[in-house]
Amino acid sequence: MSKSIHDIPEADRPREKLLRKGAAALSDQELLAVLIGKGTPGMDVMTLAAKLARVIDEKGLAVKAEDLSQFAGVGTAKATLILAAIEFARRRIKPEGAKIVTPADLLPHIRHYADRKQEHFLCASINGANEILNIRVVSIGLIDRSPVHPREVFADTISDRASAIIVAHNHPSGELGPSPSDIAITAQLKAAGEIVGIELLDHIIFNRSGYFSFLEAGRL
């Protein structure tokens, strides 16, 4: 459960932490809390930020104002502020359109998920020019597993008109070796991709310090 802003020592609250350590030291939840500014009488700013982060994870760059304003305390002003911040950063960092030479080139765009306490299963849609179209969170699981089905992975990818995908997930436990379920879902996604004409380029498992690539390990 997220800590209330009042439970966090003043020096470690998002704004103060940003000033002391820089924006890169903040989690996604903390960055959103800075943008939101305050919560509502019924919902602390950190709780609200956590809910917004989950929606943004799921929608990726396709997130819209109505996705955010469904939460009490997020009106048009806050929703547009968040969307403007995302677009401002996108134009400079440009994950959309970033060139993928090797599947591991995806890592800088997903590394911030390494700190999540639950397993997040991600899917990056790739076009014929090996450029990123979008990165989405397909599912969020428990500490050591994230149940995912091929239909959930390929649904939005087909809408993107992608020619390939790279899937990835964090291992909160810290271990990088693939589990039996990781091996099984990789085989399922590869087979499903062959049917729909969307190639599975790699399945990457990552944590804060490293990664495992099915492709690099010769297991794809």
Side-chain angles (χ1 to χ4, degrees), residues 1 3 9 12-13 19 36 42 48 50 58 67 76-77 111 123 131 139 145 178 197 200 203 214:
M1 183 178 291
K3 283 186 177 180
D12 290 327
R13 292 176 185 176
L19 292 172
I36 297 167
L48 180 56
E58 292 170 352
D67 298 322
T76 301
R111 183 70 78 181
C123 179
E131 297 169 336
S139 71
R145 61 185 174 85
L200 174 65
H203 183 177
F214 274 80

Side-chain angles (χ1 to χ4, degrees), residues 123-145:
C123 179
S125 299
I126 310 295
N127 67 15
N130 289 331
E131 297 169 336
I132 298 173
L133 295 170
N134 207 341
I135 300 172
R136 298 180 178 88
V137 175
V138 179
S139 71
I140 301 174
L142 304 175
I143 292 176
D144 60 351
R145 61 185 174 85

Side-chain angles (χ1 to χ4, degrees), residues 9-85:
E10 188 169 347
D12 290 327
R13 292 176 185 176
R15 287 177 182 170
E16 289 75 13
K17 184 176 176 181
L18 187 151
L19 292 172
R20 283 192 302 111
K21 298 184 177 182
L26 275 63
S27 67
D28 289 0
Q29 181 185 1
E30 290 170 328
L31 289 169
L32 280 169
V34 172
L35 288 172
I36 297 167
K38 62 181 181 179
T40 67
M43 188 179 298
D44 178 81
V45 66
M46 296 300 289
T47 303
L48 180 56
K51 291 180 179 294
L52 291 173
R54 182 158 187 162
V55 170
I56 294 170
D57 282 350
E58 292 170 352
K59 296 289 184 177
L61 294 173
V63 65
K64 294 181 172 59
E66 52 265 33
D67 298 322
L68 306 177
S69 58
Q70 63 177 296
F71 299 102
V74 182
T76 301
K78 287 183 179 178
T80 53
L81 174 63
I82 293 169
L83 293 178

Side-chain angles (χ1 to χ4, degrees), residues 101-130:
V101 178
T102 67
D105 291 337
L106 180 69
L107 282 167
H109 303 295
I110 61 174
R111 183 70 78 181
H112 56 286
Y113 288 102
D115 291 330
R116 303 297 175 90
K117 291 180 174 57
Q118 291 176 297
E119 191 172 288
H120 285 58
F121 196 97
L122 313 165
C123 179
S125 299
I126 310 295
N127 67 15
N130 289 331

